Amino acid sequence: MIPSFYVTTPIYYVNDVPHIGHAYTTVAADVLARYKRMRGYEVFFLTGSDEHGQKVEKAALKNQQTPLELADRVVKRFQLLWEKLGISHTDFIRTTQERHKAGVTHIFNQLLEKGDIYLGEYEDWYCTPCETFWTETQAVDGMCPDCNRPVEKLKEESYFFKMSAYGEKLLAYIDEHPEFIQPKSKRNEIISFVKEGLRDLSISRTSFSWGIPVPGNPRHVIYVWFDALTNYISALGYPEEGGAFGRFWPADVHLIGKDILRFHSVYWPTFLLAAGLPLPKKVFAHGWWTVEGQKMSKSLQNVVEPNKLIDTYGVDVVRYFLLREVPFGLDGDFSHSSLINRINSDLANDLGNLLSRSTAMLVKYFDGEIQAPGALSDLDQQFCDKATAMVAQVDRHMDDLAFSKALQAIWDVISAGNKYIDDTAPWQMAKDPAQVEQLKTVMYCLLEAQRLIHLTLSPFMPTTTTTALAALGCDAPSDQSVVSWGGLVAGTRIGKAPALFPRIETT
Ligand code: ME8
């Protein structure tokens, strides 16, 4: 049976237009989804939009629109961006869709009947931008400990989820599943948080109305995080047992930013424990981007717009840069100069140059016809071994979501390829008819290694690698592409490859 793989991104709030942070998580999920598909998995890749809650209601009011009008408008911007970024999601869920509301209502009802949700009264400090309640001690000086904006005192009748009853079970799960919360430093933070004891969680609001009504008591709307987190199962058709839910749940990985780890590794798993459903296998929290050394914010007017970046540099450059520049899990800084450096050195000099150099030589020495290799010399063998080993290395790094290490492993072979040309000096061999067999072999190894390089790289840079593979006389990668040495067919005729990346001149 074909193995399955389920990867998700957060569903993004529609009160804000997409920026580089949203693009980051979504590109990472896309690369993983494409990679797993290539390795033969049946992949369900989910993204979507979070459309309820006070934040969206307030933003709509400000725009003199209904919340749904606002959502309809902003969601298109996300969807257009994903198309432009080549995102290959299986489904896009909006929390205003009926299928989602049905799933949320079902799980709420189930927990209500079980007694894990009960009606009580709430009084605490509330941060609207974060949609989070804080205790007196947490909200130091009346400020939200997460975003440092003022909190307001809120007292209301509220439904509560008995989160306090699930702390021990959650700790046991975290303990038995060391892979569950990543990276490790974050895992320790969550363990300490749970060990301090979980409070019951307020999961309804009466102070506004933009949300899913509590079944049987529509004066209350369901807390936006209870609503939003359920998207990961409602999109699979939950509570329908069979179909996509049966096939893909539990998720293999929820990719999120570090800002929302607690919701995903404490709230969400305790809801699932209460509902008797399996927990996700992995929650991975990546770091945050700053821009030219500063926090990205509307007030600083330094928000990096992915659309503009793509128009200026090209889609694959943006995809590559995001995953290459910063190890996944750490914070990073975006700057135009580092982006241009990556283009000029990694993409134009290394990757692009290797392809144009080697195809140009094939055209010159063999009229563009790929030659069958003869016996491999030590140098040929070393290079071939390095390229073959890279495929397994990348596989391991992708399992760890270490995207930048996967790319580094590919670039090691690219550098080795450029060095292999210098060491073997094909132009010398070409002068000596006695060395024609060696020359054929060198050319074969060089081009075949690049076939492996571009196949392995294809989830990261789907457009460029399709061009490069075509230039090598190969098809675009198919699902379940077999990435092993020897796929190039002797006798295929190719031309000099186009420059994959023009250098960007800086003054
Ligand atoms: O939190 N750097 O939605 P959201 C890196 N609706 N990533 C960033 C970033 C930055 N500077 N800024 C944002 C929500 N992100 C909820 C999620 S899920 C059930 C509900 C990314 O629109 C990162 O993935 O505020 C973060 O987790 C997400 O955008 C937050 O998006």
Side-chain angles (χ1 to χ4, degrees):
M1 172 144 141
I2 300 175
S4 70
F5 191 81
Y6 181 27
V7 53
T8 68
T9 72
I11 48 172
Y12 303 110
Y13 283 128
V14 288
N15 65 323
D16 200 2
V17 294
H19 55 63
I20 192 179
H22 304 123
Y24 184 44
T25 326
T26 312
V27 165
D30 184 62
V31 169
L32 192 60
R34 285 175 182 267
Y35 188 79
K36 287 289 176 183
R37 278 189 209 115
M38 192 168 89
R39 302 303 268 167
Y41 287 74
E42 187 188 353
V43 172
F44 198 105
F45 167 18
L46 179 68
T47 189
S49 53
D50 193 352
E51 305 189 357
H52 290 131
Q54 195 167 17
K55 214 151 75 156
V56 173
E57 192 181 77
K58 279 192 172 165
L61 256 173
K62 218 169 114 193
N63 279 297
Q64 295 175 319
Q65 282 183 307
T66 65
L68 193 58
E69 280 167 353
L70 173 79
D72 283 344
R73 182 169 59 82
V74 178
V75 80
K76 280 201 196 88
R77 301 193 52 169
F78 277 95
Q79 288 168 333
L80 284 173
L81 176 62
W82 299 157
E83 208 177 298
K84 197 161 167 171
L85 264 174
I87 304 302
S88 63
H89 49 286
T90 317
D91 199 351
F92 187 103
I93 188 148
R94 299 180 58 178
T95 54
T96 46
Q97 288 168 338
E98 286 310 318
R99 58 174 178 156
H100 174 71
K101 293 189 215 166
V104 174
T105 308
H106 181 91
I107 191 167
F108 195 100
N109 260 332
Q110 192 194 344
L111 301 194
L112 198 62
E113 276 163 26
K114 212 178 149 213
D116 274 339
I117 289 181
Y118 61 92
L119 190 60
E121 198 174 63
Y122 204 92
E123 184 174 13
D124 234 329
W125 296 99
Y126 192 65
C127 174
T128 306
C130 297
E131 307 266 19
T132 307
F133 272 103
W134 300 103
T135 60
E136 188 78 38
T137 37
Q138 286 170 323
V140 182
D141 298 328
M143 294 295 178
C144 168
D146 267 1
C147 73
N148 213 24
R149 279 178 279 209
V151 288
E152 47 183 336
K153 192 87 172 204
L154 226 62
K155 180 173 181 168
E156 56 181 37
E157 183 187 84
S158 172
Y159 284 87
F160 284 86
F161 167 63
K162 260 194 204 159
M163 198 157 74
S164 58
Y166 291 97
E168 290 306 316
K169 280 195 186 130
L170 177 59
L171 280 175
Y173 184 84
I174 296 174
D175 189 48
E176 286 156 19
H177 300 83
E179 302 271 285
F180 175 47
I181 303 170
Q182 291 195 35
K184 215 172 171 180
S185 55
K186 300 275 183 255
R187 176 175 187 264
N188 298 336
E189 272 173 36
I190 295 295
I191 292 175
S192 320
F193 175 78
V194 181
K195 278 192 174 155
E196 275 172 30
L198 296 179
R199 293 196 309 160
D200 286 354
L201 183 70
S202 165
I203 52 158
S204 77
R205 302 284 181 266
T206 52
S207 52
F208 62 91
S209 59
W210 181 236
I212 302 175
V214 164
N217 192 353
R219 220 166 53 76
H220 289 252
V221 290
I222 295 175
Y223 175 42
V224 66
W225 274 100
F226 188 90
D227 167 345
L229 288 160
T230 305
N231 91 88
Y232 299 129
I233 54 177
S234 65
L236 298 180
Y238 168 85
E240 211 56 62
E241 295 271 323
F245 183 61
R247 173 89 173 112
F248 292 101
W249 190 257
D252 290 272
V253 57
H254 291 317
L255 292 184
I256 55 166
K258 65 179 184 179
D259 52 322
I260 55 175
L261 179 61
R262 189 178 299 168
F263 298 102
H264 282 81
S265 60
V266 181
Y267 293 13
W268 177 226
T270 54
F271 300 160
L272 290 166
L273 283 170
L277 294 172
L279 269 47
K281 294 180 200 158
K282 194 183 286 184
V283 176
F284 194 107
H286 63 66
W288 263 43
W289 286 92
T290 49
V291 176
E292 314 273 354
Q294 279 188 308
K295 194 174 170 190
M296 184 166 55
S297 85
K298 270 192 205 156
S299 50
L300 291 174
Q301 298 192 320
N302 65 348
V303 174
V304 180
E305 255 247 53
N307 273 302
K308 278 194 200 141
L309 282 186
I310 300 168
D311 292 341
T312 314
Y313 300 110
V315 56
D316 279 357
V317 168
V318 176
R319 291 173 63 106
Y320 172 76
F321 178 79
L322 289 176
L323 295 182
R324 178 67 185 89
E325 185 70 4
V326 180
F328 205 59
L330 300 184
D331 292 336
D333 186 52
F334 175 89
S335 73
H336 286 276
S337 59
S338 41
L339 179 59
I340 290 171
N341 264 341
R342 290 275 172 206
I343 296 175
N344 286 346
S345 77
D346 302 6
L347 300 179
N349 268 6
D350 299 344
L351 182 68
N353 197 27
L354 182 61
L355 187 68
S356 47
R357 262 177 114 182
S358 23
T359 51
M361 286 191 290
L362 190 75
V363 168
K364 191 163 173 195
Y365 306 139
F366 297 108
D367 203 18
E369 189 180 314
I370 296 172
Q371 304 293 309
L376 303 196
S377 70
D378 283 352
L379 267 182
D380 303 332
Q381 190 64 54
Q382 272 167 20
F383 179 54
C384 156
D385 289 348
K386 192 165 175 84
T388 320
M390 173 269 289
V391 176
Q393 280 162 12
V394 169
D395 211 39
R396 261 202 322 279
H397 294 317
M398 293 301 280
D399 267 348
D400 296 339
L401 302 179
F403 300 105
S404 61
K405 284 191 186 163
L407 288 168
Q408 183 60 60
I410 300 173
W411 254 258
D412 284 348
V413 181
I414 296 169
S415 306
N418 278 316
K419 186 165 181 300
Y420 175 64
I421 297 181
D422 297 341
D423 291 347
T424 50
W427 49 90
Q428 299 290 1
M429 291 178 175
K431 287 185 196 149
D432 178 3
Q435 291 192 53
V436 67
E437 285 309 313
Q438 283 103 307
L439 181 60
K440 285 180 181 175
T441 306
V442 167
M443 290 314 303
Y444 187 88
C445 290
L446 204 47
L447 296 167
E448 173 60 7
Q450 288 181 82
R451 190 185 67 86
L452 296 190
I453 286 168
H454 284 282
L455 270 179
T456 314
L457 192 57
S458 62
F460 293 86
M461 308 178 88
T463 314
T464 310
T465 51
T466 301
T467 308
L469 286 165
L472 290 167
C474 307
D475 293 333
S478 62
D479 292 356
Q480 305 184 40
S481 290
V482 178
V483 188
S484 53
W485 186 265
L488 268 192
V489 181
T492 312
R493 195 174 288 269
I494 61 177
K496 182 179 180 313
L500 295 177
F501 298 95
R503 279 183 64 84
I504 306 222
E505 294 311 327
T506 48
T507 43

